[in-house]
Amino acid sequence: MEMKSVLITGGAGFIGSHLCERWLAGGNQVICIDNLITGKKENISHLLDNPDFKFIQQDVSKYIDIEGPLDYILHFASPASPIDYRLYPIQTLKVGSLGTHNTLGLAKAKKARYLLASTSEVYGDPLVNPQTEDYYGNVNCVGPRGVYDEAKRFAEAITLAYYRTHKLDTKIARIFNTFGKRMRKDDGRAVPNFITQALAGKPLSVYGDGSQTRSFCYIDDLVEGIYKLMLSRLNEPVNLGNPGEITILALAEKIIKLTQSKSKIIHNTLPKDDPKLRCPNITKAKQYLNWAPQINLEEGLMKTIEWFRSNFKL
Ligand code: UDP
C-alpha cells in the first residue's frame, strides 16, 4: 500500500499515541498535534526520532495550518475522562466544536479522509441496553457531563453535515470505555484508579453501590477497529467497544484478585448523572468492518497491571 500522510489530533493522548504507532507501523507519515493539557509528551517520546513522525504542540480549537498534502485526519483531541472534562469544561466544548470544525475544514482543503473520535457518552444515561447506533440517547445537556456529551453530539452533527454537504469521506467511531497502557494514573477513571489503589494496598473507591455497569475494551482491539473503520466505506456512526458488560463492583473485585492485593473496597458518593448501564451492540462493526475485540478483560487487565507496576512507584 502507498505511504499516506496522516494527521492525528490528540496524538499524545492515551488512545492517540497508540494510533500514531499503528499508522507509523503501517509505513505512513504521521503528524501528531496536541496541546498537552491532558496528553503527555512521554507518550510519544519514543517516536520523536522517527523521520516519518512530526509533533506539533498546538490547540486545534485555533486555526490549523499544515503544509503539504494530507490523506487522513483523525480527530482525537479532547479531555475524555469525567475528571478532566470537569476541570476543563470550556476547552472540552471548544475542542469538540471549534476543533472539529477546524479539522473538517482542513480535511476539505486537503481532500483528506476524516475520522471523528466520538463516544458512548452520546447515549448519556441510556434507557436501552445494549446501545445500538440508532438509539438517540438520554443526555442532560446542563449536567456535569454535558460539556463532553454535547460537544461530541455537535461534533457528530457537523461531521455528517460535511459528509452530506461537501461530500467529504467522513467516519464516526463511538468509542466505549477503553483501557490499557499509557492511561494516566490520575485521570480518575475506574481502571487506573482501581489498579493504582490495589497495587498501593489502599482501599478501592467504588462510587455508589457499584451496580452500575460498563464494558471495557483493551486498547489494541480498539486501535484495530479504528484502523479498519478508516479503511472502510462506512460513513454513519459505528460503535467500537467490547460487549462484555460488568458491574463496577465486580471490576473492583477482579482487580483485587488479579493484583493479589489485600485492599478492601469502600463506597464513595456516586457522581451526578453517572450512567447506570453501558454496553455496546457491535453488530454493525462486525458486519461492515469484520471487527470484534479479541482480548478478554482478564488478559487486558493483566497487561495493564504489569504496565502500571513497571511505570509507577506505588
Ligand atoms: N468509578 C468508581 N470509582 C472510581 C472511578 C470510577 O466507582 O474510582 C465508577 C464511575 O462512577 C462509573 C464507572 O466507574 O460508574 C466508570 O467510570 P469511568 O470514570 O472509568 O468512566 P465513565 O464510563 O463514567 O466515563
Side-chain angles (χ1 to χ4, degrees):
M1 256 201 300
E2 92 191 80
M3 182 186 251
K4 303 275 187 213
S5 189
V6 186
L7 178 80
I8 303 177
T9 77
F14 160 51
I15 296 180
S17 61
H18 288 273
L19 293 173
C20 290
E21 284 177 343
R22 180 65 180 88
W23 258 276
L24 284 170
N28 304 287
Q29 286 181 323
V30 172
I31 302 171
C32 158
I33 302 192
D34 204 300
N35 66 355
L36 302 178
I37 66 167
T38 58
K40 275 183 183 284
K41 198 98 179 260
E42 294 98 276
N43 289 341
I44 51 160
S45 53
H46 60 299
L47 305 177
L48 293 173
D49 289 338
N50 186 329
D52 290 326
F53 183 76
K54 185 176 169 190
F55 171 63
I56 302 172
Q57 186 169 345
Q58 199 206 308
D59 178 357
V60 292
S61 305
K62 309 231 167 71
Y63 184 79
I64 311 162
D65 195 11
I66 302 286
E67 262 180 46
L70 285 177
D71 300 298
Y72 297 159
I73 296 178
L74 292 95
H75 181 35
F76 275 70
S78 179
S81 85
I83 279 195
D84 287 343
Y85 46 76
R86 235 171 288 151
L87 260 175
Y88 303 108
I90 296 171
Q91 290 94 329
T92 302
L93 281 158
K94 283 174 78 176
V95 75
S97 54
L98 307 177
T100 305
H101 186 214
N102 286 339
T103 49
L104 282 165
L106 184 64
K108 181 170 160 253
K110 303 281 187 185
K111 298 189 172 50
R113 197 180 287 188
Y114 184 89
L115 190 149
L116 171 72
S118 185
T119 167
S120 53
E121 283 285 321
V122 298
Y123 302 122
D125 189 2
L127 304 178
V128 299
N129 196 49
Q131 294 80 53
T132 43
E133 289 86 351
D134 57 6
Y135 176 52
Y136 293 166
N138 176 38
V139 172
N140 174 7
C141 64
V142 292
R145 303 171 84 101
V147 293
Y148 184 60
D149 303 8
E150 294 300 347
K152 290 293 189 184
R153 288 166 70 98
F154 172 88
E156 288 200 9
I158 193 171
T159 299
L160 278 169
Y162 268 67
Y163 164 66
R164 291 176 184 138
T165 310
H166 298 306
K167 312 287 178 246
L168 204 69
D169 186 5
T170 61
K171 324 278 170 197
I172 297 175
R174 289 188 179 153
I175 301 170
F176 284 65
N177 294 63
T178 302
F179 70 101
K181 74 172 184 182
R182 303 207 191 111
M183 291 188 98
R184 295 194 340 257
K185 76 173 171 29
D186 61 350
D187 91 351
R189 284 190 269 211
V191 170
N193 271 7
F194 292 166
I195 292 179
T196 49
Q197 289 161 343
L199 291 179
K202 293 186 178 150
L204 274 65
S205 56
V206 167
Y207 301 158
D209 63 5
S211 62
Q212 68 273 31
T213 68
R214 293 294 185 273
S215 309
F216 294 95
C217 185
Y218 188 62
I219 182 69
D220 293 1
D221 279 330
L222 180 85
V223 166
E224 228 26 59
I226 300 285
Y227 201 81
K228 286 188 161 179
L229 175 59
M230 188 53 123
L231 300 183
S232 78
R233 298 167 65 91
L234 204 61
N235 298 112
E236 301 294 321
V238 61
N239 289 339
L240 291 180
N242 191 320
E245 190 177 5
I246 183 173
T247 67
I248 292 303
L249 184 60
L251 175 75
E253 286 164 349
K254 198 180 272 297
I255 289 176
I256 290 178
K257 196 168 140 224
L258 293 175
T259 50
Q260 299 175 315
S261 169
K262 295 197 168 37
S263 293
K264 300 271 174 282
I265 288 173
I266 51 162
H267 291 269
N268 294 347
T269 317
L270 187 68
K272 183 167 162 40
D273 293 341
D274 197 285
K276 284 178 273 309
L277 302 166
R278 188 184 282 157
C279 178
N281 177 315
I282 58 163
T283 307
K284 200 168 172 182
K286 280 184 178 159
Q287 188 181 339
Y288 290 93
L289 309 179
N290 190 25
W291 174 87
Q294 304 298 314
I295 298 162
N296 70 32
L297 183 60
E298 277 82 19
E299 216 182 322
L301 283 173
M302 281 315 292
K303 289 175 196 265
T304 311
I305 290 164
E306 276 325 302
W307 186 81
F308 271 80
R309 263 206 184 105
S310 48
N311 280 271
F312 301 113
K313 282 204 189 82
L314 295 165

